[in-house]
Amino acid sequence: EISLPDLQLPRPRLWWPNGCGEPYLYDVTFSFTNAKGESCDMEKLKAGVREIQTAWNDHTRSMQVLVNGQKIFIKGGNWIVSDAMLRLSAERYDAEIRFHRDMNLNLIRIWGGALSERPEFYDACDRYGILVFQDFWMSGDCNGRWVDPRKKDDQWTRRKYPDDHRLFLASVADQVKMMRNHPSLAFYCGGNEIPPPEDILTEMQQSLLPKLDGTRYFFTYSNTDSMSYNSIGGNGDGPYSIQSPDFFWEQRSFPFNSEIGSVGMGDIESLQRFIPEGNLVIPGQGGTKPDSVWRYHKYIGYNRYIEAYGTPTSLKDFADKAQLVNYDQYRALIEGHSAHMWDWYTGVIIWKTQNPWTALRGQMYDYYLDPNACLYGLHHGAEPLHVMCSPADGMAMVVNNTFNAYHDLMLRVKTIDADGKPRVVNQVLTEVSPTSVQKYFAVKSKSNRPGREPAPFVLLQLVNSKEQVLSENLYWWPDSLGNYSALQKLPRATIKLKAIKAKDGKIEVTLSVPEDGPMAFFNRVSLVDKSTGKRILPVFYSDNYISVMPGEEKKVEIEYGAEISLKQAEVSLRGWNVEEQEISIE
């Protein structure tokens, strides 16, 4: 006997990802009874009603994803494993998947070099509306795609891994049964950058998956030509290192890139958790190589991008300036791809958005669940309805990743000179179609003045008829020498901070700046322990690394767990041109 919810409706409520409302899950009960009507077993689970389709886009030459009949632009992150020591928990899964939701991503790819996660992982993806791209356990690194002198076996031997093919297939069957009821599970994939050996692949494609779950599209491997095919010929992935923000807007990548990434170190509070005190020095200072500790933690160099903000005076200063680079880097990555959606691209998956240990690359939040500016660069750059501006040519755009049309909106552009005060330079009324990108005008041409460089800061706002800000985006641009000289000259700002307990588990923080002063730039809000000054983790912020304009007030909601006592907590703030401060919670 199966007790199902009443779905005999004109339109049943659908499990709905992609920022179009909370996903809806039904409670379903499976009850097994014997001939006497006695209960033998009962299972309760959550189920979602949805349809996921794929279609080849002839224009982009890549796979396109549709959920419930609506095409969606894939903004994804690569996931390794929740914990390298397999200390897996529902609480950690929930926090990590929530961070991905907060980054406005709509897909997580589980990398084939790791493992299938536990049911609690898929439960969290169901809950937060995140699609799952599930690799099986093959990887080009181990399975012979490349020559590797460090490996004992040759490529052909490694190509036949694992030793026991029947055990591998039995494991696939077991894992498919575990995860197939989750609405978040969208795709299966044979492996990372290489398909399984032919006999395994044939049985998976022709027998095992059709028998156990014929409802998901199967990619033979993560960058197969059936995913995308670029103009040069074939598919691929990368790059994986820091790039100029212009790069992501101007350089055409693979039409559905399964791995493209960059830097991602945290600030000094994060580094102090796992870098020994004697190694807490600026990595690579004076042209030397980073020491063995930094290399062990997979540090990727920031090249000259930090020095563009001024020569760092300490590791704290270096790490704070790295957050500016982090924010700008990942905002540009996702905006540059979104700017060309349905033209160059149908999706992109970032390498990577999660670390199972204390690694320093592709880190949106550290192993201890402390977010950094990478997360908030994506939070803004990937928001469903988003106003943005190309750093290459200054073109102002609005991208709409939702299925809703928007009417009576105003795009407003302000410039901010070195004095830190905004000035309106242009505004236009507009309509925005669903799942679209719309170009308007070149901001740089509007903000240029004869004989002067463009304004160093540009603020774009998208507001409705009630003057409510639906999307806001502040850019800071380098001078002709590639340096952020205006930031280095920005006057000190006064910022007022207030924190009140809104209700159990939530704190409302208000940041305000006097009308006659300069903007307060790039402020990080933290919930900290009063006695130690250390951040309380995990905590979730509605926004962070916030800039506040003169005469403006902004609010940040902090959500914390029931195990945290506010008696021992306070709110701290640190910013580019403000004094650090800590305040009590009212």
Side-chain angles (χ1 to χ4, degrees):
E1 177 187 343
I2 303 174
S3 174
L4 292 171
D6 181 11
L7 301 183
Q8 305 305 312
L9 304 170
R11 290 187 64 186
R13 295 189 68 179
L14 300 174
W15 185 84
W16 204 258
N18 200 39
C20 296
E22 291 296 316
Y24 189 81
L25 295 169
Y26 290 94
D27 292 311
V28 179
T29 302
F30 291 84
S31 179
F32 299 91
T33 59
N34 60 21
K36 297 179 180 179
E38 298 168 335
S39 177
C40 300
D41 197 7
M42 180 180 292
E43 178 77 14
K44 294 183 178 180
L45 55 84
K46 298 282 188 180
V49 178
R50 94 290 183 272
E51 180 182 34
I52 298 176
Q53 300 170 311
T54 55
W56 185 257
N57 186 314
D58 288 325
H59 180 77
T60 60
R61 304 188 76 189
S62 59
M63 191 65 73
Q64 183 171 292
V65 179
L66 297 92
V67 179
N68 300 330
Q70 301 277 4
K71 68 178 182 180
I72 64 171
F73 186 73
I74 293 297
K75 298 172 289 185
N78 278 279
W79 175 282
I80 313 307
V81 67
S82 183
D83 184 276
M85 301 300 292
L86 304 185
R87 295 166 292 195
L88 310 174
S89 70
E91 293 77 17
R92 186 175 180 88
Y93 281 134
D94 184 86
E96 293 201 69
I97 304 305
R98 178 170 179 170
F99 280 144
H100 282 75
R101 191 277 309 271
D102 291 348
M103 287 185 272
N104 286 309
L105 301 181
N106 54 28
L107 179 141
I108 290 174
R109 174 192 166 220
I110 299 182
W111 175 66
L115 46 72
S116 302
E117 290 291 355
R118 300 293 85 206
E120 293 83 359
F121 168 88
Y122 303 94
D123 287 340
C125 290
D126 293 345
R127 195 160 53 246
Y128 290 114
I130 304 289
L131 300 172
V132 177
F133 184 114
Q134 177 70 57
D135 283 14
F136 290 108
W137 320 287
M138 297 283 169
S139 179
D141 312 81
C142 299
N143 291 81
R145 181 167 183 180
W146 302 283
V147 174
D148 189 342
R150 296 170 298 179
K151 299 284 196 302
K152 178 181 177 180
D153 293 331
D154 63 25
Q155 281 177 273
W156 284 119
T157 301
R158 289 187 284 126
R159 183 70 188 99
K160 296 174 185 176
Y161 287 170
D163 293 335
D164 190 334
H165 287 198
R166 301 314 305 174
L167 178 59
F168 183 93
L169 288 164
S171 298
V172 170
D174 181 68
Q175 297 299 286
V176 168
K177 291 175 184 176
M178 180 194 75
M179 66 180 84
R180 64 186 175 184
N181 289 329
H182 290 276
S184 56
L185 180 63
F187 308 106
Y188 293 121
C189 178
N192 171 62
E193 298 176 334
I194 197 169
E198 187 175 3
D199 61 319
I200 293 179
L201 180 63
T202 299
E203 183 156 346
M204 287 175 67
Q205 280 187 301
Q206 298 182 9
S207 176
L208 192 154
L209 289 175
K211 177 182 177 181
L212 296 179
D213 183 7
T215 66
R216 271 88 177 187
Y217 187 89
F218 177 74
F219 294 99
T220 55
Y221 62 104
S222 63
N223 49 13
T224 175
D225 290 351
S226 67
M227 179 179 287
S228 71
Y229 198 91
N230 75 358
S231 57
I232 300 172
N235 195 19
D237 45 30
Y240 299 93
S241 58
I242 193 166
Q243 308 292 332
S244 164
D246 296 17
F247 173 89
F248 299 110
W249 288 76
E250 293 189 306
Q251 299 299 314
R252 193 166 184 166
S253 179
F254 300 99
F256 194 130
N257 196 330
S258 60
E259 293 182 8
I260 180 170
S262 187
V263 292
M265 65 177 285
D267 62 12
I268 190 66
E269 284 86 346
S270 175
L271 297 172
Q272 287 172 336
R273 296 187 186 107
F274 61 92
I275 300 288
E277 185 175 353
N279 302 94
L280 285 170
V281 296
I282 297 174
Q285 194 169 29
T288 62
K289 288 185 177 180
D291 69 27
S292 60
V293 171
W294 286 81
R295 295 198 304 272
Y296 174 78
H297 289 284
K298 304 299 181 184
Y299 171 75
I300 295 179
Y302 280 69
N303 301 333
R304 66 166 301 276
Y305 290 95
I306 286 179
E307 282 70 21
Y309 290 96
T311 302
T313 57
S314 64
L315 180 60
K316 177 183 178 298
D317 188 37
F318 180 91
D320 282 345
K321 288 171 178 171
Q323 301 316 305
L324 288 155
V325 181
N326 288 347
Y327 189 103
D328 210 17
Q329 188 76 178
Y330 285 97
R331 175 175 61 177
L333 188 157
I334 203 66
E335 286 184 344
H337 284 83
S338 296
H340 299 289
M341 73 177 188
W342 317 132
D343 182 18
W344 290 2
Y345 308 117
T346 52
V348 60
I349 308 178
I350 297 167
W351 182 266
K352 50 195 172 34
T353 50
Q354 177 269 351
N355 281 303
W357 68 298
T358 51
L360 285 169
R361 64 176 295 179
Q363 180 185 234
M364 313 294 121
Y365 52 92
D366 69 13
Y367 174 74
Y368 305 93
L369 303 179
D370 187 6
N372 63 45
C374 298
L375 189 151
Y376 296 99
L378 281 175
H379 170 76
H380 278 276
E383 63 183 345
L385 178 66
H386 182 59
V387 62
M388 60 188 187
C389 181
S390 167
D393 61 10
M395 181 59 66
M397 303 181 187
V398 172
V399 58
N400 183 8
N401 280 133
T402 78
F403 309 140
N404 303 320
Y406 289 85
H407 306 282
D408 292 331
L409 300 183
M410 179 173 285
L411 170 62
R412 182 175 294 138
V413 178
K414 301 178 183 179
T415 60
I416 304 166
D417 289 333
D419 61 4
K421 295 182 179 180
R423 297 168 179 81
V424 176
V425 295
N426 200 11
Q427 59 186 34
V428 60
L429 286 169
T430 186
E431 311 281 304
V432 182
S433 301
T435 59
S436 67
V437 182
Q438 188 165 328
K439 296 181 179 181
Y440 293 90
F441 48 79
V443 169
K444 288 184 178 179
S445 67
K446 295 287 183 182
S447 62
N448 284 5
R449 297 181 186 180
R452 295 180 60 182
E453 291 194 350
F457 306 98
V458 171
L459 178 69
L460 292 90
Q461 293 177 320
L462 194 65
V463 302
N464 62 17
S465 58
K466 298 178 181 179
E467 283 293 314
Q468 296 169 322
V469 177
L470 304 183
S471 177
E472 181 176 273
N473 210 343
L474 175 68
Y475 293 89
W476 50 97
W477 282 334
D479 58 26
S480 58
L481 298 177
N483 297 317
Y484 296 94
S485 53
L487 264 181
Q488 298 174 47
K489 300 172 185 175
L490 196 63
R492 301 293 286 182
T494 300
I495 187 166
K496 184 179 178 181
L497 196 63
K498 182 179 180 180
I500 62 171
K501 181 181 177 181
K503 57 182 178 179
D504 286 344
K506 290 188 178 180
I507 301 165
E508 185 179 89
V509 180
T510 304
L511 300 84
S512 56
V513 170
E515 193 163 2
D516 58 351
M519 72 169 169
F521 181 71
F522 210 65
N523 300 281
R524 164 142 191 174
V525 175
S526 298
L527 185 66
V528 301
D529 184 281
K530 284 183 181 179
S531 58
T532 66
K534 293 183 178 179
R535 290 182 188 136
I536 298 170
L537 305 172
V539 166
F540 305 94
Y541 303 87
S542 60
D543 198 3
N544 224 326
Y545 294 95
I546 303 156
S547 296
V548 188
M549 298 300 128
E552 186 180 54
E553 180 179 278
K554 285 192 174 180
K555 295 185 184 295
V556 175
E557 187 176 86
I558 302 176
E559 192 165 340
Y560 58 93
E563 72 283 358
I564 296 172
S565 171
L566 289 191
K567 293 180 180 179
Q568 297 300 318
E570 62 185 7
V571 171
S572 75
L573 178 136
R574 186 169 76 217
W576 176 265
N577 62 327
V578 301
E579 294 293 331
E580 294 186 30
Q581 58 178 296
E582 298 82 30
I583 62 165
S584 298
I585 302 163
E586 299 177 11

